[in-house]
Amino acid sequence: MSTFQLFYEVGVHHILAMDGMDHILFILALCSIYLLRDWRRVLILITAFTLGHTLTLALVTLNFFKAQSDIIEFLIPVTIFVTAASNIWKGSSAFQRTSKFQLNYLYAAFFGLIHGMAFANELRALLGKDDQVVTKLLAFNLGIEIGQIVVVGAFLLAGYIFIGLFGINRRDWNLVINSAIAGISLLLIIEAKFW
């Protein structure tokens, strides 16, 4: 197995395994207001998150700055809660297509910066000190992107089934999904408090 393939698989596993639950909750909150027909917008959203995630993951992993892990572990569920609560608060206005820019794009990029710091210490140990660090980082983040696309694709398909086929009200779907995500993130916030 090549080094690239190994780190690609680590990235996919990070998202699809239970240890990537915080990332899954965040991207589901980001994408919960979209339908399957909005797949292009969702792909941009996921990529914005990955770019933010990649930037800080690389900077911390390559020792450009240090991230205090207990604060980061607290901030991650806060980002999830803010995103889910924002979707609930926006209500049905979140579904309107009048604006090309939505707050979720900003959340994806900015909160992605915070999420990228979380795995950096573990990844630094995996990377070692050879000259393939950039290749390994690229492979890992490509794996994360593919894992996120798989998760969001399954979620959008579930939304299509419940909203499009079973006739569940889109506002109700959004409310249930984001309420559940907000509730879980509150539990994670309480568990991760660092004071």
Side-chain angles (χ1 to χ4, degrees), residues 34 41 96-107:
Y34 298 100
R41 296 171 86 180
Q96 296 173 354
R97 296 174 154 256
T98 55
S99 172
K100 290 187 179 189
F101 181 82
Q102 291 185 344
L103 196 54
N104 279 7
Y105 289 105
L106 183 62
Y107 287 161

Side-chain angles (χ1 to χ4, degrees), residues 3-124:
T3 301
F4 188 90
Q5 183 180 354
L6 174 67
F7 279 85
Y8 168 81
E9 289 178 7
V10 170
V12 171
H13 183 264
H14 176 65
I15 293 300
L16 298 181
M18 290 306 286
D19 56 335
M21 184 57 68
D22 55 347
H23 290 278
I24 292 170
L25 288 172
F26 183 70
I27 61 172
L28 291 182
L30 280 175
C31 299
S32 64
I33 62 172
Y34 298 100
L35 296 174
L36 193 55
R37 69 176 179 238
D38 301 317
W39 67 269
R40 286 182 191 93
R41 296 171 86 180
V42 171
L43 190 57
I44 292 168
L45 197 63
I46 293 170
T47 303
F49 175 63
T50 301
L51 289 175
H53 182 275
T54 300
L55 178 63
T56 51
L57 180 62
L59 291 174
V60 173
T61 301
L62 298 173
N63 291 317
F64 283 100
F65 71 89
K66 300 264 186 234
Q68 193 170 347
S69 60
D70 55 345
I71 294 174
I72 298 304
E73 292 302 321
F74 173 76
L75 288 176
I76 286 176
V78 170
T79 66
I80 299 166
F81 179 80
V82 167
T83 306
S86 175
N87 288 337
I88 294 168
W89 181 67
K90 287 186 286 192
S92 55
S93 68
F95 314 134
Q96 296 173 354
R97 296 174 154 256
T98 55
S99 172
K100 290 187 179 189
F101 181 82
Q102 291 185 344
L103 196 54
N104 279 7
Y105 289 105
L106 183 62
Y107 287 161
F110 181 71
F111 290 163
L113 296 172
I114 295 169
H115 283 251
M117 290 183 252
F119 195 63
N121 291 332
E122 295 171 43
L123 186 60
R124 188 182 307 126

Side-chain angles (χ1 to χ4, degrees), residues 144-158:
I144 285 178
E145 179 78 354
I146 297 304
Q148 291 174 159
I149 290 170
V150 168
V151 168
V152 171
F155 177 77
L156 291 175
L157 184 59

